[in-house]
Amino acid sequence: MFRIGFGNDIHLLVKGKPLILGGVDIESDLGAEGHSDADALTHAITDAILGALALGDIGKHFSDAEERWKNAESFVFLRYAVGLMKEKGFAVENIDSTISLEKPKLRPYIDAMRESLAVALEIEQSCVSVKAKTGEGLEAVGERRAVRAEAIILLKRN
Ligand code: MG
């Protein structure tokens, strides 16, 4: 049996914060603002897993009203969702994702993100796709006010 899930996320870009995407530190003059470490890609993927299982969203499981999730490493959320998925007998078949960020170019970081996500998702790196786009100068991404991520995931139960 297969289940499909979709997730997306957006975070404000500000000075003086780190920029972490897919668990990888990105060298950037602007970083992502958020309650946790604001890793938009990891949040989108976590939401995609929860969505595939129809278990609500990341905010339901990790409320930003709770102090204990402040500055939390987003891989904690991801590993929790992977645990729920395994409890229900599913494994990830493949994942595709896109990060929208005006600067810097993410190409040098893509394979490191794929590897760190593959380890957390317990699959081969070849099953994890991470793509990157700019905002072409348009809207919040293009104006360097935001980073956005979208992810779609296929789960399979054996
Ligand atoms: Mg988020």
Side-chain angles (χ1 to χ4, degrees):
M1 184 170 106
F2 289 98
R3 303 284 298 231
I4 194 167
F6 171 75
N8 72 350
D9 197 28
I10 189 165
H11 280 269
L12 190 66
L13 290 176
V14 294
K15 280 206 158 52
K17 289 267 187 175
L19 181 60
I20 300 170
L21 291 167
V24 174
D25 278 296
I26 312 292
E27 206 177 308
S28 171
D29 56 330
L30 301 179
E33 173 90 320
H35 189 69
S36 65
D37 69 6
D39 182 338
L41 177 59
T42 300
H43 292 179
I45 292 172
T46 303
D47 249 359
I49 295 171
L50 294 173
L53 300 168
L55 288 175
D57 55 38
I58 197 167
K60 175 178 166 181
H61 295 271
F62 304 97
S63 168
D64 61 10
E66 283 186 51
E67 194 60 27
R68 65 186 165 133
W69 303 124
K70 194 164 164 55
N71 300 319
E73 187 199 341
S74 295
F75 265 48
V76 171
F77 308 157
L78 180 60
R79 283 191 286 261
Y80 173 84
V82 167
L84 290 177
M85 174 192 81
K86 288 165 71 177
E87 251 172 45
K88 294 192 173 285
F90 284 91
V92 177
E93 187 71 14
N94 76 301
I95 181 156
D96 187 20
S97 65
T98 301
I99 302 164
S100 299
L101 182 72
E102 197 66 5
K103 267 194 214 174
K105 287 268 187 264
L106 292 175
R107 194 174 309 274
Y109 301 99
I110 294 286
D111 282 345
M113 292 183 210
R114 293 174 62 213
E115 185 54 33
S116 70
L117 291 165
V119 169
L121 294 164
E122 301 179 19
I123 53 175
E124 298 286 319
Q125 191 184 316
S126 62
C127 301
V128 182
S129 161
V130 177
K131 309 189 300 300
K133 300 182 82 69
T134 71
E136 299 284 339
L138 298 168
E139 300 180 325
V141 168
E143 291 164 6
R144 300 199 73 206
R145 289 188 286 117
V147 54
R148 179 183 287 121
E150 292 158 301
I152 188 161
I153 198 164
L154 189 66
L155 307 186
K156 185 180 183 189
R157 185 159 66 194
N158 291 311

